């Protein structure tokens, strides 16, 4: 429910895809070619307060006034609601995350999920998980998987207007509380090619792209089975293979694109040896140089010792997080 002032605050966790989203069939509506599957990452979160009825549109992110594209993407999401409800008027948005300063961890999924939930509530719209996921998707595709906690699947959908392309929870965080996602920050450099541009290039120029779409879609069912059985070995092997295949589409693009740095590859190749020594650990890798290691709580000491060998800037241990939710206290 909205408050009388048209103000609301929401918080959402980030997520990491184990079956990646890589490529859009509709750029404007952010509709993917294939379905994807992710796990929400606690304790990483973004908190956002939205107030309609401001003097003029204003966006502040992590204490600074947002400009350019960053601001435009936030305002564009508010515009989706204002198109239907012009009475809402100018909007003031303040947003902040608890992501480690070394960064390298995508915060846009958490940010747009929190923004979508806060916008809808401030506009007086009833709580609706599906509608919130649809709105979050228009901000950033992966954000539609951060509206609910645990394991979520973003179904690609078939409709041209995107009304059936949203994410749904398949397993609550309590299903596998011991699952751990260990983000290893090997490089704090800003990536040269953003996911949005990297995936467009793969769609348009990679000869492997159609094979990727087919194999990723098939991975969803297998991943759900492995998660249903809490089978780390099955899930880990599948997540690794899916990440290699996503990156392979970009290696084969024109011009070729590698998000891996030499330190990334060194770590990925060493994982096989570490598993042979008996440590149950696998990786996934988004559009950047920093691997996220999959393991279980009991194996953390060994996995952290392994990660330390690569002199990371930071290591962030995450567990499955809960739903995006509204808060009583506002940021302004
Ligand atoms: C590699 O959701 O950031 O992290 O929809 O263009 O905003 P846009 O892209 P974004 O891409 C995420 C790509 C990925 C894989 C994933 O999260 O599924």
């Amino acid at each position: 429910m909205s408050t009388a002032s048209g103000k609301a605050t929401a918080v959402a966790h980030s997520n990491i895809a184990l079956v990646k989203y890589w490529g859009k069939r509709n750029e404007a509506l952010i509709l993917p070619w294939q379905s994807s599957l992710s796990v929400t990452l606690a304790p990483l979160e973004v908190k956002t307060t939205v107030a309609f009825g401001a003097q003029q549109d204003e966006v502040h992110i992590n204490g600074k006034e947002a400009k350019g594209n960053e601001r435009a993407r936030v305002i564009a999401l508010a515009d989706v609601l204002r198109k239907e409800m012009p009475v809402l008027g100018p909007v003031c948005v303040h947003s902040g995350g608890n992501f480690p300063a070394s960064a390298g961890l995508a915060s846009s999924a958490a940010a747009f999920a929190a923004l979508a939930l806060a916008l809808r509530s401030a506009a007086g719209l009833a709580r609706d998980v599906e509608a919130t996921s649809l709105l979050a998707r228009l901000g950033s595709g992966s954000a539609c998987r951060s509206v609910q906690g645990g394991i979520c699947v973003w179904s690609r959908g078939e409709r041209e207007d995107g009304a059936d392309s949203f994410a749904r929870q398949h397993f609550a965080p309590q299903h596998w509380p011991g699952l751990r996602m260990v983000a290893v920050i090997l490089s704090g450099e800003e990536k040269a090619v953003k996911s949005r541009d990297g995936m467009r290039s793969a769609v348009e120029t990679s000869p492997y792209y159609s094979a990727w779409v087919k194999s990723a879609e098939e991975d969803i069912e297998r991943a759900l089975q492995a998660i249903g059985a809490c089978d780390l070995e099955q899930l880990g092997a599948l997540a690794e293979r899916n990440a290699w295949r996503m990156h392979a589409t970009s290696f084969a693009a024109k011009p070729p694109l590698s998000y891996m740095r030499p330190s990334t590859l060194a770590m990925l190749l060493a994982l096989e040896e570490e598993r042979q020594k008996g440590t149950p650990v696998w990786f996934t890798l988004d559009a950047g140089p920093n691997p996220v290691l999959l393991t279980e709580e009991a194996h953390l000491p060994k996995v952290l010792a392994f990660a330390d060998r690569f002199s990371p800037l930071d290591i962030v241990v995450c567990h499955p997080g809960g739903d995006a939710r509204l808060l009583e206290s506002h940021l302004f």
Side-chain angles (χ1 to χ4, degrees):
M1 286 300 294
S2 71
T3 59
S5 59
K7 192 171 188 177
T9 299
V11 61
H13 291 298
S14 185
N15 72 71
I16 179 81
L18 305 181
V19 178
K20 307 290 185 193
Y21 143 54
W22 197 239
K24 299 176 181 69
R25 65 180 198 275
N26 181 321
E27 294 254 341
L29 292 176
I30 312 199
L31 298 178
W33 277 109
Q34 29 79 222
S35 306
S36 54
L37 175 147
S38 60
V39 49
T40 40
L41 297 177
L44 303 179
E45 63 182 28
V46 171
K47 232 179 246 179
T48 301
T49 297
V50 166
F52 285 109
Q55 292 280 322
Q56 55 186 29
D57 284 346
E58 248 182 75
V59 180
H60 298 261
I61 299 176
N62 291 324
K64 278 197 263 164
E65 187 165 1
K67 300 215 164 72
N69 190 41
E70 215 181 12
R71 178 181 196 276
R73 282 174 71 178
V74 172
I75 299 298
L77 214 62
D79 283 342
V80 175
L81 296 187
R82 290 192 292 205
K83 209 172 144 214
E84 302 293 319
M85 308 163 77
V87 65
L88 290 171
V91 70
C92 181
V93 177
H94 283 235
S95 186
N98 66 352
F99 289 71
S102 59
L105 289 161
S107 59
S108 68
F112 282 104
L115 179 63
L117 181 58
L119 277 169
R120 283 184 50 87
S121 174
L125 296 166
R127 185 85 206 252
D128 179 336
V129 165
E130 184 180 315
T132 307
S133 179
L134 285 167
L135 183 61
R137 189 201 78 221
L138 295 171
S140 188
S142 53
C144 77
R145 300 186 312 240
S146 271
V147 171
Q148 288 183 291
I151 306 283
C152 293
V153 174
W154 172 13
S155 303
R156 70 180 291 277
E158 300 297 332
R159 289 176 53 148
E160 292 204 353
D161 66 359
D164 56 353
S165 189
F166 58 89
R168 220 186 254 134
Q169 183 186 71
H170 282 245
F171 295 95
Q174 299 77 10
H175 170 73
W176 197 345
L179 186 63
R180 290 293 176 274
M181 285 66 62
V182 181
V184 187
I185 316 301
L186 297 172
S187 161
E189 271 172 51
E190 197 148 315
K191 55 189 168 193
V193 181
K194 294 193 184 312
S195 318
R196 197 159 273 199
D197 302 324
M199 65 174 83
R200 182 185 305 118
S201 158
V203 172
E204 288 173 359
T205 72
S206 179
Y208 303 165
Y209 191 73
S210 53
W212 155 256
V213 170
K214 184 169 180 290
S215 95
E217 201 63 53
E218 290 166 1
D219 279 347
I220 299 281
E221 207 39 58
R222 290 190 207 117
L224 286 172
Q225 277 172 22
I227 295 163
C230 296
D231 186 333
L232 182 66
E233 187 171 349
Q234 286 286 329
L235 181 66
L238 183 136
E240 277 198 2
R241 195 175 62 224
N242 182 273
W244 280 118
R245 288 180 179 180
M246 176 201 118
H247 285 271
T249 67
S250 290
F251 293 150
K254 199 175 158 194
L257 172 59
S258 172
Y259 286 103
M260 296 184 193
R261 306 266 54 97
S263 56
T264 316
L265 196 55
M267 178 176 239
L268 303 191
L269 297 179
L271 266 181
E272 181 57 42
E273 224 173 275
E274 187 63 27
R275 280 198 291 268
Q276 272 163 20
K277 282 198 249 158
T279 311
V281 60
W282 286 264
F283 81 87
T284 184
L285 185 72
D286 272 352
N290 302 319
V292 173
L293 303 179
L294 287 183
T295 190
E296 284 179 307
E297 194 181 11
H299 314 300
L300 271 180
K302 278 189 184 170
V303 170
L304 294 176
F306 167 76
D308 259 338
R309 280 174 28 206
F310 299 85
S311 311
L313 302 174
D314 203 355
I315 296 180
V316 186
V317 179
C318 301
H319 58 274
D323 294 351
R325 61 189 201 284
L326 294 170
L327 300 177
E328 294 292 326
S329 67
H330 303 304
L331 293 177
F332 64 93

